Protein backbone atom coordinates (compact mmCIF):
# COMPACT_ATOMS: atom_id res chain seq x y z
CA UNK A 1 0.00 0.00 0.00
CA UNK A 2 1.39 3.35 -1.02
CA UNK A 3 -1.36 5.44 0.59
CA UNK A 4 -0.35 7.95 3.25
CA UNK A 5 -2.61 9.23 6.00
CA UNK A 6 -1.92 12.84 6.86
CA UNK A 7 -3.22 14.48 10.04
CA UNK A 8 -4.22 18.12 9.68
CA UNK A 9 -5.60 20.49 12.32
CA UNK A 10 -9.40 20.34 12.19
CA UNK A 11 -9.94 24.02 12.82
CA UNK A 12 -7.56 26.68 14.01
CA UNK A 13 -4.57 28.68 12.95
CA UNK A 14 -2.91 25.89 10.96
CA UNK A 15 -5.92 24.46 9.11
CA UNK A 16 -6.45 26.92 6.31
CA UNK A 17 -2.81 27.20 5.22
CA UNK A 18 -2.29 23.44 5.52
CA UNK A 19 -5.21 22.79 3.17
CA UNK A 20 -4.07 25.58 0.85
CA UNK A 21 -0.65 23.93 0.53
CA UNK A 22 -2.29 20.56 -0.28
CA UNK A 23 -4.41 22.23 -2.97
CA UNK A 24 -1.40 24.07 -4.42
CA UNK A 25 0.24 20.65 -4.74
CA UNK A 26 -2.59 19.76 -7.15
CA UNK A 27 -4.24 17.35 -4.71
CA UNK A 28 -8.03 17.40 -4.97
CA UNK A 29 -10.43 16.32 -2.28
CA UNK A 30 -13.74 17.38 -0.83
CA UNK A 31 -13.98 17.75 2.91
CA UNK A 32 -17.61 18.01 3.90
CA UNK A 33 -17.95 20.35 6.89
CA UNK A 34 -17.38 18.61 10.18
CA UNK A 35 -16.01 15.42 8.59
CA UNK A 36 -13.08 13.83 10.39
CA UNK A 37 -11.76 11.93 7.37
CA UNK A 38 -11.44 12.51 3.62
CA UNK A 39 -9.55 10.94 0.71
CA UNK A 40 -7.93 12.65 -2.23
CA UNK A 41 -9.34 11.96 -5.68
CA UNK A 42 -6.05 12.13 -7.58
CA UNK A 43 -3.23 11.26 -5.14
CA UNK A 44 -2.74 8.33 -2.71
CA UNK A 45 -3.39 10.32 0.43
CA UNK A 46 -6.08 10.33 3.13
CA UNK A 47 -6.76 13.16 5.54
CA UNK A 48 -7.54 12.96 9.25
CA UNK A 49 -8.78 16.20 10.81
CA UNK A 50 -7.68 16.42 14.46
CA UNK A 51 -6.77 18.81 17.28
CA UNK A 52 -3.20 19.96 16.80
CA UNK A 53 -2.10 18.67 20.24
CA UNK A 54 -3.05 15.12 19.25
CA UNK A 55 -1.21 15.09 15.92
CA UNK A 56 2.37 14.19 17.03
CA UNK A 57 1.04 11.34 19.19
CA UNK A 58 -1.07 9.89 16.37
CA UNK A 59 1.90 10.08 14.01
CA UNK A 60 4.13 8.32 16.56
CA UNK A 61 1.53 5.57 17.03
CA UNK A 62 1.12 5.09 13.28
CA UNK A 63 -2.57 6.10 13.27
CA UNK A 64 -1.40 8.78 10.85
CA UNK A 65 1.75 8.55 8.69
CA UNK A 66 2.25 12.29 8.32
CA UNK A 67 1.10 15.40 10.14
CA UNK A 68 1.27 19.17 9.97
CA UNK A 69 1.85 20.90 13.33
CA UNK A 70 3.59 23.92 14.79
CA UNK A 71 7.17 23.27 15.94
CA UNK A 72 6.06 24.53 19.36
CA UNK A 73 3.67 21.57 19.70
CA UNK A 74 6.21 19.15 18.25
CA UNK A 75 8.93 20.18 20.72
CA UNK A 76 6.55 20.35 23.70
CA UNK A 77 5.16 16.84 23.24
CA UNK A 78 8.56 15.41 22.22
CA UNK A 79 7.13 12.38 20.40
CA UNK A 80 9.27 9.94 18.49
CA UNK A 81 8.59 11.32 15.00
CA UNK A 82 10.67 12.80 12.18
CA UNK A 83 10.65 16.48 11.22
CA UNK A 84 10.51 16.19 7.42
CA UNK A 85 10.14 19.77 6.27
CA UNK A 86 9.58 23.31 7.51
CA UNK A 87 6.58 24.72 5.70
CA UNK A 88 7.04 28.48 6.12
CA UNK A 89 3.57 29.39 7.45
CA UNK A 90 2.03 29.93 10.93
CA UNK A 91 5.21 31.66 12.01
CA UNK A 92 5.11 32.68 15.65
CA UNK A 93 7.25 32.92 18.79
CA UNK A 94 6.95 31.32 22.19
CA UNK A 95 7.71 34.25 24.46
CA UNK A 96 7.75 35.43 28.04
CA UNK A 97 5.15 38.12 28.67
CA UNK A 98 5.33 40.41 31.71
CA UNK A 99 3.45 43.45 33.01
CA UNK A 100 4.19 46.29 30.62
CA UNK A 101 5.49 48.46 33.47
CA UNK A 102 8.02 45.85 34.53
CA UNK A 103 11.52 47.09 33.62
CA UNK A 104 12.45 43.55 32.52
CA UNK A 105 16.13 43.08 31.64
CA UNK A 106 16.65 39.33 31.35
CA UNK A 107 15.33 35.88 32.24
CA UNK A 108 17.18 35.87 35.62
CA UNK A 109 14.52 38.26 36.88
CA UNK A 110 12.05 35.38 36.85
CA UNK A 111 13.99 33.63 39.64
CA UNK A 112 11.53 32.87 42.45
CA UNK A 113 8.55 34.01 40.35
CA UNK A 114 5.62 32.05 38.94
CA UNK A 115 4.93 31.68 35.21
CA UNK A 116 1.69 30.50 33.60
CA UNK A 117 2.00 28.52 30.36
CA UNK A 118 0.60 25.76 28.18
CA UNK A 119 4.20 24.80 27.33
CA UNK A 120 5.64 23.51 30.63
CA UNK A 121 8.28 21.32 29.01
CA UNK A 122 9.80 23.93 26.69
CA UNK A 123 9.66 26.58 29.41
CA UNK A 124 11.09 24.20 32.04
CA UNK A 125 14.04 23.32 29.80
CA UNK A 126 14.69 26.97 29.02
CA UNK A 127 14.65 27.97 32.70
CA UNK A 128 16.95 25.09 33.57
CA UNK A 129 19.41 26.02 30.83
CA UNK A 130 19.52 29.56 32.27
CA UNK A 131 19.72 28.41 35.91
CA UNK A 132 16.46 30.12 36.77
CA UNK A 133 14.29 28.68 39.50
CA UNK A 134 10.68 29.60 38.81
CA UNK A 135 7.36 27.95 39.49
CA UNK A 136 5.51 26.80 36.37
CA UNK A 137 1.70 26.93 36.39
CA UNK A 138 0.38 24.76 33.58
CA UNK A 139 -2.89 26.04 32.15
CA UNK A 140 -4.48 25.03 28.88
CA UNK A 141 -5.88 28.30 27.57
CA UNK A 142 -6.31 32.06 28.13
CA UNK A 143 -2.82 32.14 29.59
CA UNK A 144 -2.49 35.90 29.11
CA UNK A 145 -5.01 36.75 31.84
CA UNK A 146 -3.03 34.87 34.54
CA UNK A 147 -1.06 37.91 35.83
CA UNK A 148 -4.14 40.16 36.07
CA UNK A 149 -6.07 37.61 38.13
CA UNK A 150 -3.11 37.02 40.42
CA UNK A 151 -2.40 33.47 39.22
CA UNK A 152 1.16 34.11 38.08
CA UNK A 153 3.79 36.86 37.81
CA UNK A 154 4.47 36.26 34.12
CA UNK A 155 3.29 34.16 31.17
CA UNK A 156 4.98 32.08 28.51
CA UNK A 157 2.77 31.95 25.45
CA UNK A 158 2.53 32.03 21.65
CA UNK A 159 2.94 35.51 20.21
CA UNK A 160 2.80 36.76 16.64
CA UNK A 161 1.90 40.46 16.60
CA UNK A 162 1.93 40.87 20.38
CA UNK A 163 -1.54 42.46 20.36
CA UNK A 164 -3.08 39.83 22.68
CA UNK A 165 -0.38 40.48 25.27
CA UNK A 166 -0.80 44.23 24.86
CA UNK A 167 -4.56 44.13 25.31
CA UNK A 168 -3.97 42.31 28.61
CA UNK A 169 -1.53 44.90 29.93
CA UNK A 170 1.51 42.74 29.13
CA UNK A 171 4.56 43.11 26.88
CA UNK A 172 6.76 40.57 25.11
CA UNK A 173 9.90 40.42 27.24
CA UNK A 174 11.92 37.43 25.99
CA UNK A 175 11.70 35.04 23.04
CA UNK A 176 12.12 31.40 24.07
CA UNK A 177 11.65 29.75 20.67
CA UNK A 178 10.61 30.57 17.13
CA UNK A 179 8.14 28.30 15.44
CA UNK A 180 6.52 27.62 12.08
CA UNK A 181 4.36 24.85 10.67
CA UNK A 182 6.28 21.64 9.92
CA UNK A 183 5.57 18.39 8.13
CA UNK A 184 6.29 15.41 10.38
CA UNK A 185 6.32 11.70 9.60
CA UNK A 186 6.27 8.45 11.48
CA UNK A 187 9.40 6.30 11.52
CA UNK A 188 7.88 3.17 10.03
CA UNK A 189 6.73 4.11 6.55
CA UNK A 190 6.86 1.29 3.96
CA UNK A 191 9.08 1.67 0.89
CA UNK A 192 5.95 2.41 -1.20
CA UNK A 193 4.83 5.06 1.27
CA UNK A 194 8.27 6.68 1.18
CA UNK A 195 7.86 6.92 -2.63
CA UNK A 196 4.53 8.71 -2.16
CA UNK A 197 6.10 11.00 0.45
CA UNK A 198 8.90 11.89 -1.97
CA UNK A 199 6.31 12.74 -4.65
CA UNK A 200 4.50 14.96 -2.16
CA UNK A 201 7.75 16.65 -1.10
CA UNK A 202 8.70 17.29 -4.72
CA UNK A 203 5.37 19.07 -5.21
CA UNK A 204 5.71 21.05 -1.97
CA UNK A 205 9.21 22.15 -2.92
CA UNK A 206 8.06 23.28 -6.37
CA UNK A 207 5.27 25.33 -4.78
CA UNK A 208 7.68 26.86 -2.22
CA UNK A 209 10.33 27.65 -4.85
CA UNK A 210 7.63 29.34 -6.95
CA UNK A 211 6.63 31.49 -3.98
CA UNK A 212 10.24 32.43 -3.22
CA UNK A 213 10.93 33.63 -6.76
CA UNK A 214 9.47 36.00 -9.35
CA UNK A 215 9.57 35.81 -13.12
CA UNK A 216 11.16 38.95 -14.57
CA UNK A 217 11.14 40.31 -18.13
CA UNK A 218 12.91 43.46 -19.24
CA UNK A 219 14.29 45.31 -22.23
CA UNK A 220 17.88 46.50 -22.37
CA UNK A 221 20.37 47.94 -24.82
CA UNK A 222 22.68 45.19 -26.07
CA UNK A 223 25.77 46.74 -24.50
CA UNK A 224 24.34 46.36 -20.97
CA UNK A 225 23.26 42.71 -21.38
CA UNK A 226 26.42 41.29 -19.75
CA UNK A 227 26.00 43.42 -16.65
CA UNK A 228 22.29 42.53 -16.41
CA UNK A 229 23.05 38.83 -16.78
CA UNK A 230 25.45 39.09 -13.83
CA UNK A 231 22.60 40.55 -11.75
CA UNK A 232 20.05 37.93 -12.88
CA UNK A 233 21.76 34.56 -13.09
CA UNK A 234 18.35 32.79 -13.37
CA UNK A 235 17.84 29.06 -13.06
CA UNK A 236 20.50 28.17 -15.63
CA UNK A 237 21.09 31.44 -17.44
CA UNK A 238 18.65 34.10 -18.66
CA UNK A 239 16.89 33.94 -22.03
CA UNK A 240 18.02 36.78 -24.30
CA UNK A 241 15.92 37.56 -27.40
CA UNK A 242 16.43 40.34 -29.93
CA UNK A 243 13.82 43.13 -30.00
CA UNK A 244 12.49 44.42 -33.34
CA UNK A 245 14.31 47.66 -32.51
CA UNK A 246 17.96 47.49 -33.59
CA UNK A 247 20.51 47.27 -30.73
CA UNK A 248 18.00 46.17 -28.04
CA UNK A 249 17.14 42.82 -26.46
CA UNK A 250 14.52 41.37 -24.18
CA UNK A 251 15.79 39.38 -21.22
CA UNK A 252 13.76 36.80 -19.22
CA UNK A 253 14.89 35.36 -15.90
CA UNK A 254 13.91 34.64 -12.29
CA UNK A 255 14.75 36.70 -9.23
CA UNK A 256 14.54 35.74 -5.56
CA UNK A 257 11.65 37.39 -3.74
CA UNK A 258 13.83 38.59 -0.86
CA UNK A 259 16.49 40.14 -3.15
CA UNK A 260 13.89 41.62 -5.45
CA UNK A 261 13.94 45.38 -4.66
CA UNK A 262 17.69 45.56 -4.40
CA UNK A 263 18.11 43.83 -7.77
CA UNK A 264 15.51 46.07 -9.46
CA UNK A 265 17.47 49.19 -8.42
CA UNK A 266 20.66 47.76 -9.89
CA UNK A 267 18.89 46.70 -13.10
CA UNK A 268 17.61 50.23 -13.60
CA UNK A 269 21.07 51.63 -13.05
CA UNK A 270 22.40 49.16 -15.62
CA UNK A 271 19.96 50.49 -18.24
CA UNK A 272 17.02 48.05 -18.02
CA UNK A 273 13.63 49.41 -19.13
CA UNK A 274 10.05 48.13 -19.30
CA UNK A 275 10.61 45.75 -16.39
CA UNK A 276 7.71 43.30 -15.90
CA UNK A 277 7.49 41.06 -12.85
CA UNK A 278 5.08 38.12 -12.59
CA UNK A 279 4.38 35.53 -9.89
CA UNK A 280 5.49 31.94 -10.45
CA UNK A 281 2.95 29.26 -9.58
CA UNK A 282 5.37 26.35 -9.52
CA UNK A 283 9.10 26.12 -10.09
CA UNK A 284 10.80 22.80 -10.80
CA UNK A 285 14.39 23.12 -9.63
P1 LIG B 1 -6.66 23.00 18.69
O1 LIG B 1 -8.09 23.22 18.92
O2 LIG B 1 -6.42 22.25 17.37
O3 LIG B 1 -5.94 22.39 19.85
P2 LIG B 1 -5.22 25.41 19.38
O4 LIG B 1 -6.17 26.40 19.95
O5 LIG B 1 -4.33 24.63 20.28
O6 LIG B 1 -6.02 24.44 18.41
P3 LIG B 1 -4.30 27.38 17.43
O7 LIG B 1 -4.51 28.64 18.19
O8 LIG B 1 -5.22 27.09 16.29
O9 LIG B 1 -4.21 26.12 18.39
O10 LIG B 1 -2.80 27.39 16.92
C1 LIG B 1 -2.25 26.29 16.23
C2 LIG B 1 -0.78 26.56 15.97
O11 LIG B 1 -0.67 27.70 15.13
C3 LIG B 1 0.03 26.91 17.20
O12 LIG B 1 0.49 25.75 17.89
C4 LIG B 1 1.16 27.71 16.64
O13 LIG B 1 2.15 26.89 16.07
C5 LIG B 1 0.47 28.47 15.53
N1 LIG B 1 0.00 29.79 16.00
C6 LIG B 1 -0.68 30.09 17.10
N2 LIG B 1 -0.95 31.39 17.21
C7 LIG B 1 -0.44 31.95 16.11
C8 LIG B 1 -0.42 33.27 15.61
N3 LIG B 1 -0.97 34.27 16.27
N4 LIG B 1 0.17 33.47 14.42
C9 LIG B 1 0.72 32.48 13.75
N5 LIG B 1 0.74 31.21 14.17
C10 LIG B 1 0.17 30.93 15.34
MG1 LIG C 1 -4.13 22.78 20.55
Amino acid sequence: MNTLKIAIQKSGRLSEDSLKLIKECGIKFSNGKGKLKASADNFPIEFLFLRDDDIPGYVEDGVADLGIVGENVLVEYDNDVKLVKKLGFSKCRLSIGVDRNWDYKNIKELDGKSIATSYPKILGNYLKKNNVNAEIHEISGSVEIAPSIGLADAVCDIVSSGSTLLSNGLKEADVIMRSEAVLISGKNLSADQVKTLNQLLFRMESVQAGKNNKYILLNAPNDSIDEIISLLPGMKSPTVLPLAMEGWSSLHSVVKEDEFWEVIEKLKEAGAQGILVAPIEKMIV
Side-chain angles (χ1 to χ4, degrees):
M1 274 289 276
N2 63 348
T3 301
L4 289 171
K5 289 197 197 102
I6 183 166
I8 288 179
Q9 190 189 24
K10 186 169 168 6
S11 75
R13 288 198 151 102
L14 290 162
S15 330
E16 199 177 308
D17 284 340
S18 303
L19 292 178
K20 189 166 142 237
L21 175 62
I22 298 290
K23 284 189 185 136
E24 285 169 338
C25 289
I27 297 171
K28 295 201 166 72
F29 68 98
S30 49
N31 66 325
K33 273 251 172 306
K35 266 187 28 185
L36 299 181
K37 271 178 82 173
S39 326
D41 307 329
N42 59 353
F43 195 81
I45 198 160
E46 287 172 15
F47 303 92
L48 303 178
F49 300 104
L50 303 166
R51 283 199 60 195
D52 70 341
D53 311 65
D54 298 331
I55 291 176
Y58 278 134
V59 171
E60 181 181 78
D61 296 345
V63 174
D65 307 300
L66 304 177
I68 296 180
V69 283
E71 280 174 290
N72 50 312
V73 165
L74 180 65
V75 176
E76 179 65 26
Y77 289 92
D78 195 25
N79 291 89
D80 191 19
V81 297
K82 263 200 273 193
L83 193 164
V84 182
K85 184 169 178 50
K86 295 199 179 203
L87 299 175
F89 57 84
S90 293
K91 288 194 174 169
C92 57
R93 308 176 289 283
L94 184 65
S95 294
I96 298 287
V98 299
D99 188 291
R100 66 165 173 247
N101 297 318
W102 183 338
D103 183 23
Y104 181 100
K105 301 227 169 43
N106 60 52
I107 194 79
K108 303 271 183 223
E109 285 177 50
L110 294 178
D111 220 13
K113 301 275 197 274
S114 59
I115 312 167
T117 189
S118 308
Y119 297 89
K121 201 174 222 164
I122 300 176
L123 175 61
N125 287 339
Y126 187 81
L127 294 175
K128 204 161 149 199
K129 205 176 82 193
N130 287 285
N131 282 320
V132 173
N133 221 328
E135 190 189 330
I136 297 175
H137 268 294
E138 184 178 350
I139 49 180
S140 59
S142 304
V143 171
E144 60 286 342
I145 62 160
S148 65
I149 59 172
L151 184 71
D153 302 306
V155 301
C156 170
D157 203 8
I158 295 293
V159 178
S160 64
S161 70
S163 60
T164 311
L165 287 181
L166 219 61
S167 62
N168 285 281
L170 305 173
K171 64 178 178 187
E172 186 176 7
D174 237 324
V175 177
I176 287 192
M177 85 172 271
R178 292 180 190 274
S179 172
E180 65 185 85
V182 290
L183 179 71
I184 56 171
S185 87
K187 292 195 163 166
N188 295 311
L189 303 195
S190 69
D192 284 344
Q193 287 177 315
V194 170
K195 269 192 199 156
T196 308
L197 173 58
N198 286 336
Q199 286 169 354
L200 180 68
L201 285 175
F202 174 72
R203 293 187 186 199
M204 286 182 171
E205 271 148 26
S206 306
V207 169
Q208 273 186 349
K211 283 197 180 130
N212 293 340
N213 290 277
K214 299 267 183 237
Y215 187 59
I216 182 162
L217 301 95
L218 56 87
N219 296 329
N222 288 345
D223 56 11
S224 48
I225 294 285
D226 286 346
E227 188 181 350
I228 292 179
I229 289 178
S230 71
L231 293 167
L232 289 176
M235 290 171 77
K236 205 172 213 107
S237 85
T239 309
V240 181
L241 299 164
L243 286 189
M245 183 188 273
E246 189 76 25
W248 281 73
S249 296
S250 163
L251 195 137
H252 302 200
S253 191
V254 292
V255 58
K256 286 203 178 76
E257 170 81 43
D258 47 7
E259 294 170 4
F260 177 75
W261 290 110
E262 204 182 317
V263 171
I264 294 286
E265 283 301 319
K266 290 188 182 150
L267 290 173
K268 276 168 51 192
E269 277 165 29
Q273 293 181 10
I275 303 174
L276 298 180
V277 178
I280 298 173
E281 190 180 298
K282 310 227 172 20
M283 185 164 153
I284 316 301
V285 282

